[in-house]
């Protein structure tokens, strides 16, 4: 391994370790290049390469004229990878929904198995926020996009309650693919009533998790994902989004 | 966005597109930097940064003094990401086996649903290779590592038969994590007889896939993964591998 490459890898490892340990948190600004290269005892070229690599991955973010920050979109790394490198076998929307209906159901099963009391409190709050927003939504004070954000909080909350970070990251990444590809824009929504039904179904999934009923949590999540799929104009998505 | 960054991103996009289109295949050598920068109309610094980023991801490989090649370990990208950025909630081995017992079972279910005749032919070959190797293995002419390679061919063949590349990549990535972390070294294998049982179980999974029996394929894969888990010294792995 040449020296420059090893200095770059050192800097990458160092920055990732700092993030893992929590010494660098989302939104934190990195020391300037001069100080950082002094601290690490490496020159600025490999340091810059390290920062560039981590920026491409979405772990760091360069703010023009203001230095480099730790990205708060850490969870989008997988999704960036999938979007950039994912070569789908069939249509992307078909594969993504097939994966969601299995993986999110798995996550719900594990949430029923592994959740803590704290998870239930957080989930309950996320459910209430979604439920309370429904009136505003149907009075057109909120957009589909706003509802989807509240929905995301519930789905990722369930995945987090699995206490399996591998599975959480996978669920997040599929989620971000669908959000970034705009599957849920007004344009592709056939049935706006589905937010009402979602609200009821979320409650059912939550109750199954709370009762530690793994099979029911799995089944209810699968029904829910299939329901979402039916509310969308899959034909158009299949045609428009490659 | 500054110009240098946009030139780098352009080069990354270009190289990835060439790989996606199949114009650049695993093992191919890139044009030298001078030609490539001329063709793309960008200077060599951002081009070098692009190559460095793709190398960190494991998509390209620099061969000392011999230029840059397209890596044939494309499928290890996810696994690199997981290893580098994965912050596990509990022990890594516990989360990985929990994920395997669900995701590989999902993949088997989809293989039962989506497989082609060609998939069955390839799977049959992989099964026979594993079965034929058993005698050599028990006469100590083959190592655990060799058996694991034959095993990998079967497991990835099943995931590929799902015809869902998202799921295939996830299964590959968990697989590579376990292989790279050496879960299956002699050191951690409690019961070397498990290769015999694996051979029988692979057949059962295969038959369920062939008969398009989704539930059975799921169940048999789950039993198989649990069986593997029992053949390993999980306590030691938990202690040794962070």
């Amino acid at each position: 391994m040449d020296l420059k490459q090893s200095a770059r890898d050192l800097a990458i490892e160092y920055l990732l370790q700092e993030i893992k340990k929590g010494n660098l948190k989302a939104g934190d600004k990195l020391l300037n290049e001069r100080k950082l290269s002094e601290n690490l005892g490496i020159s600025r070229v490999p340091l810059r390469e390290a920062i560039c690599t981590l920026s491409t991955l979405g772990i760091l973010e360069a703010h023009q004229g203001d230095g480099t920050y730790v990205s708060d979109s850490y969870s989008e790394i997988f999704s960036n990878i999938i979007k950039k490198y994912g070569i789908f076998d069939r249509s992307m929307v078909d594969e993504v929904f097939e994966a969601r209906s299995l993986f999110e159901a798995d996550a719900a099963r594990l949430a029923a198995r592994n959740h803590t009391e704290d998870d239930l409190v957080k989930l309950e709050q996320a459910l209430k926020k979604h439920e309370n927003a429904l009136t505003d939504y149907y009075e057109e004070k909120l957009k589909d996009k706003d509802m989807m954000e509240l929905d995301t909080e519930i789905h990722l909350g369930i995945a987090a309650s699995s206490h399996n970070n591998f599975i959480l990251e996978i669920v997040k990444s599929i989620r971000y693919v669908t959000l970034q590809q705009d599957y849920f824009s007004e344009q592709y929504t056939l049935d706006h009533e589905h937010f009402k039904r979602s609200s009821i179904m979320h409650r059912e999934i939550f109750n199954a998790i709370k009762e530690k009923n793994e099979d029911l949590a799995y089944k209810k999540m699968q029904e829910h994902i299939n329901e979402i799929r039916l509310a969308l104009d899959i034909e158009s998505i299949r045609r428009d989004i490659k």
Side-chain angles (χ1 to χ4, degrees), chain A:
Chain A
M1 188 187 284
D2 68 44
L3 283 178
K4 204 181 105 188
Q5 169 149 4
S6 110
R8 185 191 79 204
D9 287 348
L10 180 86
I12 292 179
E13 276 312 309
Y14 167 79
L15 290 167
L16 289 173
Q17 282 302 325
E18 289 295 291
I19 293 171
K20 277 194 190 185
K21 286 185 203 151
N23 297 341
L24 278 175
K25 289 190 193 68
D28 284 357
K29 188 174 174 175
L30 293 196
L31 286 176
N32 70 42
E33 273 184 20
R34 191 180 49 76
K35 281 195 193 140
L36 206 49
S37 70
E38 276 172 22
N39 289 359
L40 285 168
I42 64 172
S43 62
R44 288 168 74 169
V45 173
L47 175 64
R48 215 169 290 146
E49 285 185 354
I51 291 175
C52 135
T53 298
L54 294 175
S55 303
T56 303
L57 286 169
I59 294 170
L60 298 177
E61 263 172 30
H63 290 190
Q64 201 68 21
D66 180 35
T68 303
Y69 287 77
V70 178
S71 170
D72 46 18
S73 57
Y74 172 84
S75 55
E76 291 175 33
I77 299 165
F78 262 113
S79 121
N80 284 333
I81 302 285
I82 292 162
K83 279 194 310 168
K84 281 189 183 156
Y85 320 114
I87 306 158
F88 289 89
D89 197 26
R90 294 172 290 144
S91 97
M92 185 168 170
V93 65
D94 290 327
E95 294 196 25
V96 163
F97 267 103
E98 199 170 63
R100 277 194 74 186
S101 95
L102 295 167
F103 292 169
E104 290 213 36
D106 290 332
R109 176 187 294 285
L110 290 180
R113 192 183 301 170
N114 298 335
H115 74 263
T116 64
E117 279 307 307
D118 189 44
D119 294 328
L120 295 180
V121 172
K122 280 187 196 148
L123 276 176
E124 177 68 55
Q125 285 167 349
L127 288 178
K128 283 218 175 105
K129 264 160 70 180
H130 186 278
E131 286 159 2
N132 293 339
L134 279 174
T135 315
D136 279 355
Y137 173 70
Y138 286 110
E139 286 173 4
E140 297 188 10
K141 289 176 200 156
L142 282 176
K143 289 188 183 303
D144 278 17
K145 203 169 159 293
D146 303 312
M147 289 307 291
M148 281 313 299
E149 272 175 33
L150 297 173
D151 187 272
T152 297
E153 212 177 313
I154 297 168
H155 282 260
L156 296 188
I158 291 169
S161 306
S162 74
H163 291 273
N164 185 313
N165 268 336
F166 190 91
I167 287 171
L168 173 61
E169 289 303 321
I170 304 298
V171 169
K172 274 186 186 169
S173 68
I174 319 182
R175 187 88 193 161
Y176 281 105
V177 168
T178 59
L179 291 177
Q180 287 170 353
Q181 299 284 340
D182 251 352
Y183 287 7
F184 298 104
S185 61
E186 314 261 352
Q187 181 191 355
Y188 297 122
T189 308
L190 288 176
D191 176 7
H192 290 263
E193 292 292 301
H194 89 90
F195 285 112
K196 256 188 229 168
R197 291 194 304 278
S198 283
S199 176
I200 297 165
M201 297 179 107
H202 290 156
R203 244 324 133 191
E204 291 176 344
I205 300 164
F206 173 75
N207 289 336
I209 290 170
K210 196 172 170 182
E211 290 158 15
K212 296 180 180 286
N213 189 333
E214 294 183 24
D215 288 343
L216 190 62
Y218 184 93
K219 184 170 157 275
K220 287 289 172 189
M221 179 61 92
Q222 220 163 40
E223 282 173 15
H224 175 45
I225 304 288
N226 292 336
E227 219 272 334
I228 296 168
R229 198 173 177 285
L230 291 175
L232 297 178
D233 185 355
I234 299 288
E235 276 298 328
S236 298
I237 301 178
R238 211 179 272 148
R239 197 177 53 232
D240 296 350
I241 300 174
K242 297 290 167 205

